[in-house]
Amino acid sequence: MNPVKITETALRDGHQSLIATRLTTEEILPILEKMDKVGYYALEVWGGATFDACLRFLNEDPWERLREIRKRVKNTKLQMLLRGQNLLGYKHYPDDVVEAFIEKSVENGIDIIRVFDALNDVRNMETSIKAIKKVGAICQCAISYTISPVHTVPYYVNLTKELVALGSDTICIKDMAGILTPYTAKELVTELKKAVDVPIELHTHCTSGIASMTYMMAVEAGVDIIDTAMSPFAEGTSQPATESMVVALSQSERPSGLDINLLNEIAEYLKPIKEKYRENGIFNPRVMDVEPKTLTYQVPGGMLSNLLSQLKQQGALNKYEEVLKEIPRVREDLGYPPLVTPLSQMVGTQAVFNVLAGERYKMVPKEIKEYVKGLYGRSPAPINETIKEKIIGNEEVITVRPADLLEPGIEKYKEEIGDLAASFEDVLSYILFPQVAKKFFEDRLKGDFKEDKKEEDIVHYITVTM
């Protein structure tokens, strides 16, 4: 028997997708020992937006959260999501920062680091891969799944071979928008299993309404691990429900072996917590809507929320459909970047600007200019030459790895934050989120932790859900 392994995402992507990453450490800790007995392959508990949210909204030290989780989880591997050279931020960091962050993440309790690059530019993952291997953690490279004339099954097979050759221990198909269809999943998993001899994991979102079907077809094709979330933090823009998948798999040739009674007990603990966030307005029922348009426009659920927010602020909600149609055009112009953080926000904002200005690329955000200059990495396909000239004129496009242009940063930031940093982990927090971390350190010093969660911050923050 070859059981399907399950990675539980409720404590990271599940609540990131549905309640803007607002689960507190206090809410997480009491259920951990029970979750540790289930038999999961891994618990995804850190990385993604959790780090930022701890500091920005919850007045918590993300490093302390990780240490407290590790104390209680003795048998199950702990997993985090890392954006390659971007770490947990939204820009490239120098290699010394990337190496130190990974070392400290593992030292504080992480076993598996899932690393990806928004452009699938392997150069932006190399430093992370080497650092993960050096400290003895499990390196799982994720391929950011999207659809375009260049993003074919052979493209993903070649990318996977390259990542395994660099040292990736496992491969994750990261379908951040929920656009991987069942039969394509079967073909992709089949071809990846033929191409490499490492476990294949599949991560998707329920936004378009097909995720559970996609999982079942992937299981038939031999996928080794799937990502699910406990039912209170499942479905909608999150992952399929753990309990439902366990029951479905129990009647297959590859049952997961997870204890459904224990899972039901965990769900009962989480239900009232979700209700609390429903009552205080952080959980927006709209994130539970099935949005088949995702399959057409390839827009992640969190990106849809951001588009609506931007248009509402401009009094232009009537332009929503026009913006949705503009997004694929912008993607094509820019060489078909996958719509995952930070590219999803960048492409979405450019589409809004194009529509509201009444002229394409009349207004261009700084981030898009930097992308066109090559500062985020290599675009999957060539950027439209006419559009490139309109955006950056005759400015030079870099062809080197973007991080090669960065000076080492740790000593500089260590000196900058000074005695406010009580540990090296604090220095790393400051490097990633300078203003937010500094305020956190100052409040900590004064013992002054006040709730300060503005509604506009919540709306903005939901955009970083993938």
Side-chain angles (χ1 to χ4, degrees):
M1 189 173 69
N2 177 24
V4 176
K5 297 183 176 74
I6 290 181
T7 293
E8 174 59 55
T9 68
L11 304 183
R12 203 287 295 175
D13 203 4
H15 75 107
Q16 181 173 316
S17 296
L18 300 188
I19 60 168
T21 331
R22 287 309 208 282
L23 276 185
T24 65
T25 301
E26 186 179 10
E27 290 164 337
I28 290 170
L29 296 183
I31 199 61
L32 287 175
E33 290 177 16
K34 192 166 282 190
M35 295 181 86
D36 193 26
K37 295 175 183 174
V38 169
Y40 290 116
Y41 170 72
L43 293 174
E44 188 187 56
V45 297
W46 214 58
T50 59
F51 198 97
D52 187 358
C54 278
L55 293 167
R56 190 183 302 271
F57 298 116
L58 305 177
N59 295 319
E60 291 186 9
D61 181 348
W63 298 99
E64 183 62 22
R65 171 181 289 196
L66 176 55
R67 288 190 289 268
E68 290 299 316
I69 291 173
R70 180 78 279 175
K71 284 179 189 174
R72 291 159 178 81
V73 179
K74 309 290 188 184
N75 307 303
T76 311
K77 292 184 281 291
L78 297 182
Q79 177 174 300
M80 71 171 290
L81 179 68
L82 192 82
R83 302 183 190 118
Q85 207 73 30
N86 290 3
L87 294 177
L88 304 180
Y90 311 105
K91 66 177 185 178
H92 285 204
Y93 296 95
D95 287 342
D96 66 328
V97 174
V98 172
E99 290 161 357
F101 189 90
I102 286 169
E103 182 180 347
K104 283 297 177 183
S105 298
V106 174
E107 187 180 304
N108 281 273
I110 289 296
D111 300 297
I112 305 170
I113 298 181
R114 176 180 292 173
V115 56
F116 76 97
D117 177 66
L119 293 171
N120 287 321
D121 187 339
V122 173
R123 299 174 305 167
N124 294 334
M125 301 166 73
E126 285 177 352
T127 298
S128 297
I129 294 168
K130 290 174 185 174
I132 295 165
K133 301 293 284 185
K134 183 179 178 182
V135 294
I138 296 171
C139 176
Q140 181 182 81
C141 288
I143 55 178
S144 297
Y145 181 80
T146 190
I147 302 166
S148 81
V150 297
H151 292 96
T152 60
V153 169
Y155 164 89
Y156 290 118
V157 168
N158 289 333
L159 176 61
T160 295
K161 286 179 178 177
E162 193 174 353
L163 292 169
V164 170
L166 284 171
S168 185
D169 298 301
T170 66
I171 291 291
C172 174
I173 303 164
K174 180 177 168 59
D175 176 25
M176 55 280 175
I179 57 174
L180 179 59
T181 53
Y183 288 99
T184 302
K186 184 175 183 180
E187 180 187 4
L188 180 56
V189 170
T190 298
E191 293 306 312
L192 292 186
K193 295 291 288 182
K194 287 180 191 172
V196 294
D197 188 23
V198 300
I200 305 296
E201 185 158 355
L202 178 55
H203 173 96
T204 190
H205 290 254
C206 299
T207 317
S208 65
I210 61 173
S212 296
M213 292 181 274
T214 296
Y215 273 173
M216 293 308 285
M217 290 297 276
V219 167
E220 292 291 318
V223 80
D224 299 280
I225 314 161
I226 57 174
D227 287 6
T228 64
M230 289 301 304
S231 55
F233 292 103
E235 304 298 325
T237 54
S238 179
Q239 282 76 55
T242 303
E243 306 98 299
S244 305
M245 289 303 304
V246 166
V247 170
L249 290 168
S250 70
Q251 299 174 0
S252 76
E253 294 179 358
R254 301 182 61 200
S256 69
L258 271 56
D259 186 336
I260 189 65
N261 294 318
L262 201 51
L263 290 172
N264 289 336
E265 290 175 24
I266 295 165
E268 288 305 311
Y269 171 82
L270 293 172
K271 281 177 185 174
I273 295 174
K274 180 182 177 180
E275 284 307 306
K276 182 187 83 172
Y277 289 101
R278 188 193 303 273
E279 289 166 9
N280 67 16
I282 288 177
F283 172 72
N284 183 339
R286 284 177 61 179
V287 300
M288 301 305 294
D289 292 347
V290 174
E291 184 46 87
K293 286 178 185 171
T294 300
L295 296 168
T296 303
Y297 301 120
Q298 301 181 41
V299 178
M303 188 176 167
L304 289 171
S305 302
N306 188 39
L307 293 175
L308 286 166
S309 173
Q310 289 184 49
L311 293 171
K312 185 178 179 181
Q313 288 170 10
Q314 298 297 320
L317 280 174
N318 61 317
K319 301 284 189 181
Y320 181 58
E321 286 290 332
E322 199 175 336
V323 169
L324 281 182
K325 290 174 182 174
E326 175 65 7
I327 287 169
R329 296 177 66 198
V330 172
R331 270 193 80 221
E332 182 177 356
D333 292 340
L334 299 180
Y336 298 105
L339 295 180
V340 64
T341 302
L343 270 302
S344 52
Q345 291 90 327
M346 290 159 55
V347 169
T349 299
Q350 185 64 65
V352 169
F353 283 6
N354 286 359
V355 169
L356 296 187
E359 180 184 333
R360 304 186 77 231
Y361 304 102
K362 182 179 182 181
M363 298 187 295
V364 180
K366 176 176 73 76
E367 292 82 1
I368 290 288
K369 290 179 181 177
E370 291 180 347
Y371 167 80
V372 173
K373 290 178 189 175
L375 291 170
Y376 282 83
R378 189 186 295 118
S379 60
I383 295 172
N384 181 300
E385 285 296 331
T386 304
I387 299 300
K388 182 191 292 184
E389 188 175 338
K390 190 165 187 178
I391 292 174
I392 63 169
N394 294 320
E395 290 189 56
E396 184 184 357
V397 175
I398 72 156
T399 55
V400 299
R401 183 183 72 117
D404 288 341
L405 303 175
L406 302 175
E407 296 290 331
I410 289 176
E411 292 307 316
K412 171 191 152 190
Y413 285 106
K414 191 187 289 185
E415 188 176 330
E416 207 173 273
I417 191 61
D419 292 339
L420 268 179
S423 65
F424 186 59
E425 284 86 345
D426 280 355
V427 175
L428 293 169
S429 298
Y430 176 70
I431 293 172
L432 264 61
F433 302 104
Q435 293 176 320
V436 174
K438 186 178 180 185
K439 182 180 184 304
F440 173 81
F441 301 152
E442 290 169 343
D443 289 348
R444 181 178 64 187
L445 205 59
K446 294 183 291 187
D448 182 22
F449 283 121
K450 292 179 181 175
E451 296 284 318
D452 184 23
K453 304 176 180 66
K454 298 174 184 174
E455 186 61 33
E456 59 266 31
D457 288 340
I458 294 171
V459 171
H460 163 75
Y461 201 70
I462 292 174
T463 68
V464 191
T465 59
M466 301 298 157

